[in-house]
Amino acid sequence: MIKNFLKTLLIVAFFGVSTVSYAQFNLKKAIGAATKTVQAVTLTDQQMANYVKESVQWMDEHNPVLPDDNPYTQRLNALTDGITDADGIPLNFKVYDVIDINAFACPDGSVRVFSSLMDIMNDDELMGVIGHEIGHVMKRHSKEAFKKQLLSEAMMDAVGSTSNKAAQLTDSQLKDLSLAFINAKYSQKQEKEADECGYDFLVANGRNPWGMVMAFEKLQSMEGDSGAKQSYISKMFSSHPETKDRIKKMSEKAKKDGYNRPVANE
C-alpha cells in the first residue's frame, strides 16, 4: 500500500512541475507527509490505550484530586456505587477540586468530575451529566477526539507506528493531550448519540433518566453567565435550537418509558 501511495505521489510530482504555473513541488516534504499519513492509519489500539493511560495519569498528577475521605468524593462514590462497567470498558471515578463547571470521561473509562459542577447539581442531575459523558465513551466519541489530537501536526513526530509501546511524551505534549479530554467539543449528532446512550446507561443502572433532562435545563439556564465556569456549558450547548430539541426528546422518552420527574432539590 505504501509503495502504491508513494508511486502516486511521484506521478503527481511529475505532472505538477509540468503545469503552466510552474509551482514548486517539494517531493521530500510530500513523502514525509505520506509517511505521517501511513502512521495515522497504522496507529494500533494498544498504542492508543498506552497514550490514554499516560495522559490520564498526567492529569491526575497535575490536578487537585480529592481524597477518599473528602465529602465530594464520598458523595460521588455513593452515587456511582456498583457502576463499574460501560459496554466492556471498566470505569473509575475521581473528583478534581477546581472552579470550572466541568466533567469528562476518557476512552479508558476514567471519569473526572469537577467539584464546582457538584456544587450546582443535585444527585439526579449529577448522574445525568455523568451518564451523558459515559455515553461519549460508549459511542467511542472520546476515543476519536483523542486520536485526532494525538495525530495532529504538533504530535505526529512523537507518535511511532512500529511498536505497541507508546513513545515517551513531554509534559507539554501530555498537557495538550489532556486538554483534548477536558475541552473536547462534539458534533450535534454525537451529542444526541451520547444523550441516547447515556439515557440507556442510566436506566440499565437503575437511575432515573430525568436527571439528564434536569441537568441540561439547569446548564442551559446558566448560559450567558460570565467567567471560567462556562467551560462545560459552552462545549455542550453550541446551538440553542438543538439544545431545546435534545431536552424535548429526552423528556418525551422519559415520559413514554414511565419515569416520573423527581422534585428538584438544591
Side-chain angles (χ1 to χ4, degrees), residues 132-231:
H132 174 86
E133 291 305 311
I134 290 175
H136 280 305
V137 173
M138 295 174 70
K139 298 299 291 185
R140 288 11 183 209
H141 298 157
S142 56
K143 181 178 180 179
E144 289 305 312
F146 182 75
K147 184 176 181 179
K148 182 178 179 180
Q149 178 64 29
L150 187 61
L151 297 174
S152 67
E153 185 67 26
M155 292 294 301
M156 279 297 295
D157 289 336
V159 179
S161 63
T162 59
S163 171
N164 282 337
K165 186 177 180 180
Q168 190 69 33
L169 301 179
T170 66
D171 261 15
S172 177
Q173 290 167 332
L174 285 169
K175 180 180 179 180
D176 288 343
L177 288 176
S178 300
L179 289 174
F181 290 133
I182 298 173
N183 298 324
K185 287 190 176 183
Y186 301 107
S187 68
Q188 286 294 336
K189 179 183 178 182
Q190 288 175 323
E191 292 292 10
K192 290 179 180 179
E193 288 177 346
D195 290 347
E196 295 171 3
C197 192
Y199 179 104
D200 293 338
F201 176 81
L202 291 174
V203 169
N205 284 278
R207 307 292 173 170
N208 192 330
W210 271 106
M212 193 183 295
V213 176
M214 295 162 64
F216 288 2
E217 288 175 341
K218 179 171 286 186
L219 289 168
Q220 189 182 33
S221 71
M222 295 174 63
E223 285 187 289
D225 290 350
S226 60
K229 291 186 176 183
Q230 282 194 83
S231 55

